[in-house]
Amino acid sequence: AQTVTQSQPEMSVQEAETVTLSCTYDTSENNYYLFWYKQPPSRQMILVIRQEAYKQQNATENRFSVNFQKAAKSFSLKISDSQLGDTAMYFCAFMNNNAGNMLTFGGGTRLMVKP
Amino acid sequence: DVKVTQSSRYLVKRTGEKVFLECVQDMDHENMFWYRQDPGLGLRLIYFSYDVKMKEKGDIPEGYSVSREKKERFSLILESASTNQTSMYLCASSLGGTGNTEAFFGQGTRLTVV
């Protein structure tokens, strides 16, 4: 079974600053995906970024990037130039590629972007 | 755009009632999921389905059942609601197949059992 741990229940950042959210996971699998999902106050969960475990290059999506350390089983999310609209719950999630599309989630980090 | 629609945003039910949470997706996705979201615990998988009339237990199936009679609809059933089932329930769907990993979520149903 996989586990996903987010050690920061809450974080805050000033608008335009950079913030990094931490995530670690535990698995014996070698073929998997990692995700960051965002849940704003509207409750609509949306995908922020995805990383395939077999790819060494870190994924980036505009202001969002990850630091994927496979050996350390670490998958952090960096948000650059933070905006007020980034205020949300952020969930790290794991998917075993050999077990369908089921996601295992971390406990979440509540991020507040301050003006 | 993929749309996953949950029938209610808020529900209040009494202990012992049978409760139905409905979820419909409009993109012909193979996979559908029900998750429960609780503070500090993230989302936990209750049940999932890879095809019509097919269901598999997730991590916390006790006290729940599901029904998938049509491809687009996946229902979560609380046979006899209890106060410890007060929670946020999220439905999700995904296309399935190699590389099609993105899950699309509904807006959630906040259920209160009194």
Side-chain angles (χ1 to χ4, degrees), chain A residues 33 35 37 39 41-47 50 89 91 95 97 99-108, chain B residues 9-10 31 33 35 37 40-43 45 48 50 88 90 94 96 99-103 105-108:
Chain A
Y33 295 88
F35 305 83
Y37 277 87
Q39 186 182 44
S42 67
R43 295 175 5 193
Q44 184 66 58
M45 189 89 78
I46 56 175
L47 178 65
R50 181 184 85 162
M89 283 289 292
F91 292 97
M95 178 188 289
N97 200 35
N101 286 165
M102 293 174 289
L103 292 163
T104 300
F105 286 87
Chain B
R9 282 183 65 89
Y10 299 94
N31 305 325
F33 308 86
Y35 292 91
Q37 181 178 355
L41 298 178
L43 283 72
L45 182 65
F48 61 98
Y50 291 146
M88 172 80 80
L90 289 168
S94 66
N100 298 314
T101 58
E102 184 175 356
F105 286 82
Q107 285 195 289

Side-chain angles (χ1 to χ4, degrees), chain B residues 4 8 24 40 56 64 77 95 100 103 109:
Chain B
V4 179
S8 305
V24 177
E56 293 285 345
Y64 304 95
I77 304 157
L95 182 58
N100 298 314
T109 296

Side-chain angles (χ1 to χ4, degrees), chain A residues 60-78:
Chain A
T60 62
E61 287 287 342
N62 301 314
R63 297 183 295 107
F64 299 87
S65 62
V66 298
N67 183 4
F68 174 46
Q69 302 288 328
K70 190 173 184 179
K73 297 180 180 173
S74 169
F75 182 61
S76 60
L77 174 70
K78 185 171 80 171

Side-chain angles (χ1 to χ4, degrees), chain B residues 7 18-19 38:
Chain B
S7 53
K18 190 169 186 176
V19 181
D38 298 289

